[in-house]
Amino acid sequence: MAAKTLTIDGTLVSAREGESILEAAREAGITIPTLCHLDGLSEVGACRLCLVELTGSRRLQPACLTPVAEGMEVRTSTERLREHRRAIVELLFAERGHVCAVCVASGACELQDLAARLGVTHVRYDYLAPACTVDISHPRFGIDHHRCVLCTRCVRACDEVEGVHTWDVAGRGTAARVITDLHVPWGQATSCTSCGKCLHACPTGAIFQRGSSVAELKRDPGVIALVVAARKERW
Amino acid sequence: MTAPKLRLATVWLGGCSGCHMSLLDLDEWLIELAARVELVFSPIADTKRFPESVDLALVEGAIANEEHLALITLVRRRSRVLLSLGDCAVTGNVTALRNPLGTAASILQQIYVDHGDPRGHVPTGSAIVPALLDRVLPVHAVVPVDCFLPGCPPPAPRIRAVLEALLAGEPPPATPEMIRFG
Protein backbone atom coordinates (compact mmCIF):
# COMPACT_ATOMS: atom_id res chain seq x y z
CA MET A 1 0.00 0.00 0.00
CA ALA A 2 1.39 3.35 -1.05
CA ALA A 3 2.25 5.94 1.56
CA LYS A 4 0.86 9.43 1.23
CA THR A 5 2.57 12.50 2.56
CA LEU A 6 0.45 15.42 3.67
CA THR A 7 0.62 18.40 6.02
CA ILE A 8 -1.66 18.67 9.03
CA ASP A 9 -1.48 21.98 10.89
CA GLY A 10 1.93 22.62 9.36
CA THR A 11 3.36 19.24 10.38
CA LEU A 12 4.45 16.78 7.70
CA VAL A 13 2.60 13.52 8.23
CA SER A 14 2.86 10.28 6.33
CA ALA A 15 -0.20 8.06 6.14
CA ARG A 16 -1.32 4.87 4.46
CA GLU A 17 -3.40 5.13 1.30
CA GLY A 18 -7.10 4.92 2.09
CA GLU A 19 -6.68 6.21 5.63
CA SER A 20 -8.92 9.08 6.69
CA ILE A 21 -7.56 12.47 7.71
CA LEU A 22 -8.89 11.70 11.19
CA GLU A 23 -6.80 8.51 11.45
CA ALA A 24 -3.70 10.21 10.03
CA ALA A 25 -4.08 13.11 12.45
CA ARG A 26 -4.47 10.79 15.42
CA GLU A 27 -1.37 8.84 14.51
CA ALA A 28 0.48 12.15 14.37
CA GLY A 29 -0.82 13.06 17.84
CA ILE A 30 -3.19 15.76 16.55
CA THR A 31 -6.61 15.67 18.19
CA ILE A 32 -9.67 16.53 16.12
CA PRO A 33 -12.91 16.67 18.12
CA THR A 34 -15.46 13.98 17.23
CA LEU A 35 -18.84 12.83 18.47
CA CYS A 36 -20.47 10.42 15.99
CA HIS A 37 -17.14 8.63 15.43
CA LEU A 38 -16.52 5.55 17.56
CA ASP A 39 -13.54 3.24 17.10
CA GLY A 40 -14.76 -0.07 15.66
CA LEU A 41 -17.78 1.40 13.83
CA SER A 42 -18.19 2.69 10.27
CA GLU A 43 -18.12 6.46 9.71
CA VAL A 44 -21.24 8.48 8.91
CA GLY A 45 -20.00 12.07 9.14
CA ALA A 46 -23.18 13.06 10.96
CA CYS A 47 -22.00 15.39 13.71
CA ARG A 48 -19.70 17.65 11.62
CA LEU A 49 -17.43 18.29 14.59
CA CYS A 50 -14.40 16.91 12.75
CA LEU A 51 -14.74 19.37 9.85
CA VAL A 52 -11.33 20.55 8.63
CA GLU A 53 -10.06 23.08 6.11
CA LEU A 54 -8.24 21.86 3.00
CA THR A 55 -6.08 24.16 0.90
CA GLY A 56 -7.69 24.63 -2.51
CA SER A 57 -11.18 23.74 -1.31
CA ARG A 58 -13.70 26.30 -0.13
CA ARG A 59 -15.87 23.60 1.42
CA LEU A 60 -15.06 22.20 4.81
CA GLN A 61 -14.62 18.43 4.82
CA PRO A 62 -15.30 15.88 7.57
CA ALA A 63 -11.94 14.41 8.61
CA CYS A 64 -13.56 11.04 9.40
CA LEU A 65 -14.78 10.51 5.82
CA THR A 66 -12.09 12.25 3.79
CA PRO A 67 -9.24 10.00 2.62
CA VAL A 68 -5.70 11.35 2.74
CA ALA A 69 -4.11 12.43 -0.55
CA GLU A 70 -0.57 13.21 -1.60
CA GLY A 71 0.39 16.81 -0.91
CA MET A 72 -2.85 17.59 0.95
CA GLU A 73 -2.71 20.59 3.29
CA VAL A 74 -5.08 20.22 6.24
CA ARG A 75 -5.90 22.72 8.97
CA THR A 76 -7.77 21.30 11.96
CA SER A 77 -8.06 24.18 14.38
CA THR A 78 -8.58 27.59 12.77
CA GLU A 79 -10.78 30.20 14.44
CA ARG A 80 -13.43 29.55 11.78
CA LEU A 81 -13.47 25.82 12.62
CA ARG A 82 -13.48 26.46 16.36
CA GLU A 83 -16.47 28.78 15.96
CA HIS A 84 -18.33 26.18 13.85
CA ARG A 85 -17.63 23.50 16.47
CA ARG A 86 -18.86 25.70 19.31
CA ALA A 87 -22.03 26.44 17.32
CA ILE A 88 -22.62 22.72 16.67
CA VAL A 89 -22.31 21.85 20.36
CA GLU A 90 -24.58 24.76 21.32
CA LEU A 91 -27.20 23.64 18.80
CA LEU A 92 -27.06 20.10 20.21
CA PHE A 93 -27.66 21.50 23.71
CA ALA A 94 -30.49 23.71 22.41
CA GLU A 95 -32.27 20.97 20.47
CA ARG A 96 -33.18 18.59 23.32
CA GLY A 97 -33.19 18.68 27.11
CA HIS A 98 -29.59 18.21 28.25
CA VAL A 99 -29.62 18.88 31.99
CA CYS A 100 -26.24 17.68 33.28
CA ALA A 101 -27.26 18.27 36.91
CA VAL A 102 -29.84 15.48 36.77
CA CYS A 103 -28.17 13.17 34.21
CA VAL A 104 -26.83 9.67 34.84
CA ALA A 105 -23.91 10.34 32.49
CA SER A 106 -22.66 13.57 34.12
CA GLY A 107 -18.89 13.22 34.41
CA ALA A 108 -18.85 10.46 31.76
CA CYS A 109 -20.48 12.35 28.87
CA GLU A 110 -18.86 13.25 25.57
CA LEU A 111 -21.20 16.21 25.00
CA GLN A 112 -20.35 17.66 28.41
CA ASP A 113 -16.63 17.11 27.70
CA LEU A 114 -16.90 18.72 24.26
CA ALA A 115 -18.48 21.84 25.76
CA ALA A 116 -15.58 22.11 28.20
CA ARG A 117 -12.90 21.47 25.58
CA LEU A 118 -14.37 23.79 22.98
CA GLY A 119 -15.04 26.64 25.40
CA VAL A 120 -18.83 26.53 25.29
CA THR A 121 -19.69 28.49 28.44
CA HIS A 122 -23.30 29.14 27.40
CA VAL A 123 -25.74 28.52 24.56
CA ARG A 124 -26.50 31.49 22.32
CA TYR A 125 -29.58 29.89 20.76
CA ASP A 126 -33.10 29.56 22.16
CA TYR A 127 -33.65 26.20 23.84
CA LEU A 128 -36.34 24.24 22.00
CA ALA A 129 -37.23 22.37 25.22
CA PRO A 130 -39.18 19.63 23.45
CA ALA A 131 -41.29 17.17 25.43
CA CYS A 132 -39.52 13.87 24.69
CA THR A 133 -40.39 10.38 25.85
CA VAL A 134 -38.43 8.12 28.19
CA ASP A 135 -38.70 4.41 27.40
CA ILE A 136 -38.01 2.09 30.33
CA SER A 137 -39.93 -0.89 28.99
CA HIS A 138 -36.70 -2.92 28.68
CA PRO A 139 -35.86 -4.73 31.94
CA ARG A 140 -32.15 -3.76 31.90
CA PHE A 141 -31.82 -0.54 29.93
CA GLY A 142 -33.69 2.68 29.30
CA ILE A 143 -33.58 5.46 26.75
CA ASP A 144 -34.25 9.12 27.51
CA HIS A 145 -34.73 10.89 24.19
CA HIS A 146 -34.12 14.28 25.82
CA ARG A 147 -30.42 13.36 25.91
CA CYS A 148 -30.08 11.82 22.43
CA VAL A 149 -27.88 13.67 19.92
CA LEU A 150 -28.73 11.36 16.98
CA CYS A 151 -25.09 10.33 16.48
CA THR A 152 -26.38 6.83 15.51
CA ARG A 153 -23.57 5.10 17.36
CA CYS A 154 -26.17 2.78 18.95
CA VAL A 155 -27.63 2.03 15.50
CA ARG A 156 -24.22 1.15 14.06
CA ALA A 157 -23.01 -0.83 17.10
CA CYS A 158 -26.20 -2.91 17.03
CA ASP A 159 -26.09 -3.46 13.27
CA GLU A 160 -22.37 -3.81 12.60
CA VAL A 161 -21.05 -5.42 15.77
CA GLU A 162 -23.95 -7.29 17.33
CA GLY A 163 -25.37 -7.99 13.84
CA VAL A 164 -28.95 -7.38 14.89
CA HIS A 165 -30.10 -3.89 13.82
CA THR A 166 -32.68 -3.42 16.55
CA TRP A 167 -31.97 0.34 16.46
CA ASP A 168 -32.71 2.69 13.59
CA VAL A 169 -33.79 6.29 13.07
CA ALA A 170 -37.34 7.42 12.31
CA GLY A 171 -38.62 10.89 11.44
CA ARG A 172 -36.83 13.94 10.12
CA GLY A 173 -35.26 17.11 11.47
CA THR A 174 -36.13 17.91 15.07
CA ALA A 175 -38.73 15.10 14.99
CA ALA A 176 -36.07 12.44 14.28
CA ARG A 177 -35.80 9.77 16.98
CA VAL A 178 -33.83 6.56 17.36
CA ILE A 179 -36.30 3.69 17.49
CA THR A 180 -36.23 -0.01 18.34
CA ASP A 181 -37.56 -2.54 15.83
CA LEU A 182 -40.51 -1.06 13.91
CA HIS A 183 -41.00 1.75 16.43
CA VAL A 184 -42.21 -0.45 19.27
CA PRO A 185 -41.25 0.03 22.94
CA TRP A 186 -37.73 -1.31 23.55
CA GLY A 187 -39.04 -4.03 25.88
CA GLN A 188 -41.19 -5.37 23.05
CA ALA A 189 -38.40 -5.29 20.45
CA THR A 190 -37.98 -9.03 19.96
CA SER A 191 -34.77 -8.65 17.92
CA CYS A 192 -32.89 -7.11 20.89
CA THR A 193 -30.39 -9.52 22.43
CA SER A 194 -29.88 -7.27 25.51
CA CYS A 195 -26.14 -7.32 24.79
CA GLY A 196 -25.68 -3.72 25.98
CA LYS A 197 -23.40 -2.61 23.12
CA CYS A 198 -25.67 0.39 22.47
CA LEU A 199 -25.18 1.41 26.11
CA HIS A 200 -21.40 1.42 25.69
CA ALA A 201 -21.64 3.18 22.33
CA CYS A 202 -23.89 6.05 23.50
CA PRO A 203 -21.88 9.26 24.04
CA THR A 204 -24.42 10.88 26.39
CA GLY A 205 -26.88 9.67 29.03
CA ALA A 206 -29.56 8.85 26.43
CA ILE A 207 -29.11 5.07 26.77
CA PHE A 208 -28.58 4.12 30.38
CA GLN A 209 -28.59 1.14 32.67
CA ARG A 210 -31.77 1.01 34.69
CA GLY A 211 -31.22 1.80 38.34
CA SER A 212 -28.30 4.16 37.77
CA SER A 213 -28.74 7.60 39.30
CA VAL A 214 -27.14 11.02 38.67
CA ALA A 215 -23.49 10.70 37.55
CA GLU A 216 -23.51 6.94 38.32
CA LEU A 217 -23.31 5.68 34.77
CA LYS A 218 -20.20 3.58 34.07
CA ARG A 219 -19.50 2.92 30.45
CA ASP A 220 -16.68 1.56 28.34
CA PRO A 221 -16.89 2.81 24.72
CA GLY A 222 -13.61 0.97 24.00
CA VAL A 223 -15.39 -2.37 24.31
CA ILE A 224 -16.81 -1.93 20.78
CA ALA A 225 -13.35 -1.64 19.18
CA LEU A 226 -12.16 -4.52 21.38
CA VAL A 227 -14.90 -6.86 20.11
CA VAL A 228 -14.24 -5.85 16.50
CA ALA A 229 -10.47 -6.35 16.85
CA ALA A 230 -10.89 -9.69 18.61
CA ARG A 231 -13.13 -11.00 15.84
CA LYS A 232 -10.65 -9.97 13.17
CA GLU A 233 -7.94 -11.93 14.93
CA ARG A 234 -10.13 -15.01 15.19
CA TRP A 235 -11.61 -15.13 11.70
CA MET B 1 -4.67 55.94 50.32
CA THR B 2 -6.17 52.51 49.90
CA ALA B 3 -8.06 51.66 46.74
CA PRO B 4 -11.83 51.93 47.04
CA LYS B 5 -13.45 48.59 47.73
CA LEU B 6 -15.19 46.85 44.85
CA ARG B 7 -18.96 47.02 45.27
CA LEU B 8 -20.14 43.40 45.09
CA ALA B 9 -23.73 42.18 44.85
CA THR B 10 -25.02 38.63 44.82
CA VAL B 11 -28.50 37.93 43.49
CA TRP B 12 -30.71 34.88 44.03
CA LEU B 13 -33.28 34.31 41.27
CA GLY B 14 -34.87 30.99 40.22
CA GLY B 15 -32.39 28.59 41.78
CA CYS B 16 -31.99 26.45 44.88
CA SER B 17 -29.38 28.70 46.62
CA GLY B 18 -26.78 25.99 46.06
CA CYS B 19 -24.56 28.48 44.23
CA HIS B 20 -24.67 30.77 47.26
CA MET B 21 -23.83 27.78 49.47
CA SER B 22 -20.85 27.14 47.20
CA LEU B 23 -19.84 30.78 47.59
CA LEU B 24 -19.93 30.32 51.37
CA ASP B 25 -17.80 27.22 50.84
CA LEU B 26 -14.91 29.59 50.15
CA ASP B 27 -14.41 29.41 53.91
CA GLU B 28 -11.51 31.52 55.19
CA TRP B 29 -10.93 33.09 51.78
CA LEU B 30 -14.19 34.99 52.46
CA ILE B 31 -12.27 36.94 55.11
CA GLU B 32 -9.74 37.95 52.49
CA LEU B 33 -12.57 38.78 50.09
CA ALA B 34 -14.30 40.91 52.72
CA ALA B 35 -11.18 43.07 52.92
CA ARG B 36 -11.37 43.79 49.22
CA VAL B 37 -15.10 44.14 48.53
CA GLU B 38 -18.10 45.81 50.01
CA LEU B 39 -21.11 43.49 49.90
CA VAL B 40 -23.86 45.90 48.92
CA PHE B 41 -26.69 43.47 48.12
CA SER B 42 -27.17 39.77 48.79
CA PRO B 43 -29.67 37.25 50.15
CA ILE B 44 -27.22 36.87 53.03
CA ALA B 45 -27.16 40.65 53.69
CA ASP B 46 -29.90 42.90 55.04
CA THR B 47 -30.39 45.30 52.13
CA LYS B 48 -33.76 44.94 50.44
CA ARG B 49 -33.21 47.32 47.51
CA PHE B 50 -30.68 46.75 44.78
CA PRO B 51 -28.31 49.75 45.01
CA GLU B 52 -26.83 52.02 42.35
CA SER B 53 -23.27 51.70 40.99
CA VAL B 54 -22.51 48.05 41.61
CA ASP B 55 -19.15 46.91 40.24
CA LEU B 56 -19.82 43.18 40.10
CA ALA B 57 -23.10 41.26 40.35
CA LEU B 58 -23.06 37.48 40.77
CA VAL B 59 -26.41 36.15 39.63
CA GLU B 60 -27.65 32.73 40.69
CA GLY B 61 -30.79 31.24 39.16
CA ALA B 62 -32.91 31.42 36.04
CA ILE B 63 -35.60 33.96 35.15
CA ALA B 64 -38.74 32.09 36.19
CA ASN B 65 -41.23 34.72 37.46
CA GLU B 66 -42.15 38.39 37.17
CA GLU B 67 -40.07 39.38 40.19
CA HIS B 68 -36.94 37.82 38.65
CA LEU B 69 -37.64 39.65 35.41
CA ALA B 70 -37.97 43.04 37.13
CA LEU B 71 -34.94 42.47 39.37
CA ILE B 72 -32.57 41.27 36.62
CA THR B 73 -33.41 44.34 34.53
CA LEU B 74 -32.51 46.56 37.48
CA VAL B 75 -29.38 44.52 38.25
CA ARG B 76 -28.18 44.86 34.69
CA ARG B 77 -28.83 48.61 34.60
CA ARG B 78 -26.97 49.23 37.84
CA SER B 79 -24.03 46.79 37.51
CA ARG B 80 -20.83 47.24 35.60
CA VAL B 81 -20.07 43.49 35.32
CA LEU B 82 -22.73 40.78 35.50
CA LEU B 83 -21.67 37.17 36.05
CA SER B 84 -24.09 34.28 35.46
CA LEU B 85 -23.25 32.01 38.37
CA GLY B 86 -24.15 28.34 37.99
CA ASP B 87 -26.22 26.25 35.59
CA CYS B 88 -29.66 27.76 36.34
CA ALA B 89 -28.44 31.25 35.43
CA VAL B 90 -26.40 29.92 32.49
CA THR B 91 -28.78 27.33 30.97
CA GLY B 92 -32.08 27.37 32.90
CA ASN B 93 -31.10 23.93 34.26
CA VAL B 94 -33.47 22.31 36.79
CA THR B 95 -35.56 25.49 37.02
CA ALA B 96 -36.30 25.18 33.28
CA LEU B 97 -37.30 21.50 33.49
CA ARG B 98 -40.89 22.73 33.45
CA ASN B 99 -40.58 24.32 30.00
CA PRO B 100 -41.58 21.21 28.02
CA LEU B 101 -44.73 20.96 30.17
CA GLY B 102 -46.37 24.07 28.71
CA THR B 103 -47.44 27.52 29.86
CA ALA B 104 -47.57 28.73 33.47
CA ALA B 105 -51.35 28.19 33.59
CA SER B 106 -51.02 24.66 32.23
CA ILE B 107 -48.25 23.80 34.70
CA LEU B 108 -50.20 25.11 37.71
CA GLN B 109 -53.19 23.06 36.53
CA GLN B 110 -51.04 19.93 36.17
CA ILE B 111 -49.30 20.32 39.54
CA TYR B 112 -52.13 21.56 41.79
CA VAL B 113 -55.12 19.86 40.17
CA ASP B 114 -54.27 16.97 37.83
CA HIS B 115 -51.52 15.48 40.02
CA GLY B 116 -52.65 17.00 43.33
CA ASP B 117 -53.36 14.48 46.08
CA PRO B 118 -55.77 15.49 47.45
CA ARG B 119 -56.84 17.49 44.42
CA GLY B 120 -56.21 21.18 45.04
CA HIS B 121 -57.03 24.27 43.09
CA VAL B 122 -54.86 26.69 41.15
CA PRO B 123 -53.86 29.50 43.54
CA THR B 124 -55.23 32.82 42.35
CA GLY B 125 -55.86 36.36 43.47
CA SER B 126 -52.85 36.76 45.72
CA ALA B 127 -50.04 39.20 45.00
CA ILE B 128 -47.80 37.61 47.66
CA VAL B 129 -46.20 35.11 45.31
CA PRO B 130 -44.93 36.56 42.02
CA ALA B 131 -46.65 35.21 38.90
CA LEU B 132 -44.74 32.55 36.95
CA LEU B 133 -43.52 33.36 33.47
CA ASP B 134 -44.70 31.03 30.71
CA ARG B 135 -41.13 30.09 29.97
CA VAL B 136 -38.06 29.86 32.20
CA LEU B 137 -35.10 31.63 30.59
CA PRO B 138 -31.36 31.73 31.21
CA VAL B 139 -30.17 35.19 32.31
CA HIS B 140 -28.44 36.02 29.00
CA ALA B 141 -31.71 35.45 27.13
CA VAL B 142 -33.10 38.48 29.01
CA VAL B 143 -30.17 40.88 29.59
CA PRO B 144 -26.56 40.97 28.33
CA VAL B 145 -24.20 38.91 30.51
CA ASP B 146 -20.46 39.59 30.76
CA CYS B 147 -19.16 36.24 32.04
CA PHE B 148 -20.45 32.75 32.64
CA LEU B 149 -19.51 30.23 35.29
CA PRO B 150 -21.38 26.94 34.75
CA GLY B 151 -21.70 24.18 37.33
CA CYS B 152 -24.43 22.83 39.57
CA PRO B 153 -23.16 24.35 41.72
CA PRO B 154 -19.81 25.70 40.53
CA PRO B 155 -17.30 24.41 43.13
CA ALA B 156 -15.83 27.07 45.46
CA PRO B 157 -12.32 26.95 43.92
CA ARG B 158 -13.80 27.86 40.52
CA ILE B 159 -15.76 30.75 42.02
CA ARG B 160 -12.58 31.94 43.69
CA ALA B 161 -10.59 31.73 40.43
CA VAL B 162 -13.21 33.88 38.68
CA LEU B 163 -13.42 36.39 41.53
CA GLU B 164 -9.64 36.71 41.78
CA ALA B 165 -9.42 37.44 38.05
CA LEU B 166 -12.25 39.97 38.13
CA LEU B 167 -10.84 41.66 41.24
CA ALA B 168 -7.54 42.02 39.40
CA GLY B 169 -9.39 43.51 36.44
CA GLU B 170 -8.57 40.53 34.22
CA PRO B 171 -10.85 38.29 32.16
CA PRO B 172 -11.82 35.10 34.06
CA PRO B 173 -9.83 31.95 33.13
CA ALA B 174 -11.45 30.03 30.26
CA THR B 175 -9.74 26.64 30.64
CA PRO B 176 -11.74 23.40 30.17
CA GLU B 177 -11.55 22.81 33.93
CA MET B 178 -13.51 26.02 34.46
CA ILE B 179 -16.33 24.92 32.14
CA ARG B 180 -18.24 22.01 33.54
CA PHE B 181 -22.01 21.86 33.30
CA GLY B 182 -23.67 19.82 36.05
Side-chain angles (χ1 to χ4, degrees):
Chain A
M1 216 166 4
K4 303 281 178 192
T5 307
L6 62 156
T7 335
I8 305 181
D9 294 338
T11 307
L12 268 178
V13 170
S14 88
R16 289 182 300 278
E17 186 174 12
E19 254 190 333
S20 68
I21 296 175
L22 181 64
E23 288 169 303
R26 280 192 175 181
E27 279 160 27
I30 297 164
T31 309
I32 301 174
T34 57
L35 181 60
C36 68
H37 166 89
L38 181 63
D39 287 347
L41 301 181
S42 64
E43 305 288 8
V44 288
C47 72
R48 316 313 279 178
L49 277 165
C50 73
L51 285 178
V52 292
E53 288 180 6
L54 301 180
T55 300
S57 165
R58 282 185 57 226
R59 292 175 59 191
L60 303 175
Q61 302 291 345
C64 66
L65 278 171
T66 310
V68 293
E70 187 63 36
M72 198 178 232
E73 281 177 34
V74 185
R75 286 173 303 281
T76 73
S77 187
T78 62
E79 185 44 45
R80 176 194 183 200
L81 291 171
R82 285 197 295 271
E83 172 50 32
H84 279 313
R85 287 176 188 145
R86 277 194 297 268
I88 289 166
V89 169
E90 287 175 47
L91 285 165
L92 288 173
F93 273 109
E95 188 171 337
R96 302 266 175 116
H98 298 280
V99 187
C100 303
V102 293
C103 182
V104 287
S106 187
C109 172
E110 292 182 32
L111 187 62
Q112 194 182 31
D113 289 344
L114 278 166
R117 270 175 54 202
L118 302 175
V120 176
T121 57
H122 66 293
V123 172
R124 291 165 291 176
Y125 308 102
D126 286 346
Y127 288 94
L128 293 186
C132 298
T133 53
V134 179
D135 180 352
I136 49 163
S137 58
H138 191 286
R140 295 164 65 106
F141 312 116
I143 175 155
D144 182 344
H145 291 278
H146 293 98
R147 304 170 185 155
C148 175
V149 292
L150 296 172
C151 66
T152 71
R153 278 162 46 162
C154 55
V155 177
R156 285 172 284 149
C158 186
D159 176 40
E160 298 167 12
V161 187
E162 181 63 3
V164 170
H165 206 130
T166 298
W167 290 102
D168 213 315
V169 181
R172 296 206 173 248
T174 53
R177 296 287 183 271
V178 287
I179 55 164
T180 39
D181 278 0
L182 293 173
H183 212 343
V184 297
W186 193 354
Q188 292 167 32
T190 48
S191 71
C192 177
T193 61
S194 302
C195 71
K197 290 190 179 70
C198 53
L199 171 79
H200 289 295
C202 181
T204 69
I207 297 177
F208 55 90
Q209 208 146 18
R210 289 190 55 175
S212 44
S213 181
V214 172
E216 277 185 0
L217 190 66
K218 299 271 186 297
R219 142 161 68 220
D220 181 8
V223 79
I224 304 290
L226 190 76
V227 171
V228 172
R231 280 187 191 157
K232 275 187 190 146
E233 281 163 23
R234 199 168 152 199
W235 295 317
Chain B
M1 207 178 96
T2 51
K5 283 184 169 184
L6 181 136
R7 289 167 60 80
L8 175 73
T10 79
V11 183
W12 180 13
L13 304 176
C16 71
S17 92
C19 298
H20 272 87
M21 295 302 120
S22 207
L23 184 70
L24 294 179
D25 244 358
L26 285 164
D27 300 337
E28 69 272 18
W29 192 73
L30 287 171
I31 298 165
E32 233 174 277
L33 181 68
R36 300 170 68 183
V37 304
E38 185 188 349
L39 189 65
V40 293
F41 182 86
S42 175
I44 51 170
D46 238 357
T47 327
K48 297 289 179 274
R49 290 211 174 88
F50 195 84
E52 302 274 358
S53 316
V54 169
D55 290 308
L56 172 61
L58 311 181
V59 178
E60 167 187 350
I63 313 299
N65 65 34
E66 286 174 354
E67 189 181 270
H68 300 150
L69 194 58
L71 181 54
I72 197 64
T73 315
L74 190 66
V75 168
R76 178 65 279 186
R77 207 164 49 225
R78 295 183 172 177
S79 311
R80 197 163 52 81
V81 176
L82 194 163
L83 172 95
S84 274
L85 177 69
D87 279 356
C88 290
V90 176
T91 75
N93 198 31
V94 173
T95 312
L97 279 174
R98 72 165 158 97
N99 283 349
L101 301 176
T103 60
S106 157
I107 283 157
L108 290 172
Q109 169 75 24
Q110 289 174 60
I111 302 301
Y112 282 91
V113 183
D114 302 347
H115 302 298
D117 184 20
R119 246 162 204 265
H121 59 88
V122 174
T124 50
S126 155
I128 297 171
V129 180
L132 294 180
L133 300 177
D134 276 338
R135 203 176 163 80
V136 178
L137 294 168
V139 173
H140 66 274
V142 181
V143 296
V145 168
D146 302 299
C147 10
F148 299 85
L149 181 58
C152 187
R158 271 188 241 160
I159 299 179
R160 176 175 167 173
V162 167
L163 287 179
E164 279 183 329
L166 292 173
L167 283 168
E170 290 161 11
T175 54
E177 300 73 50
M178 292 294 293
I179 308 167
R180 175 60 57 179
F181 294 100

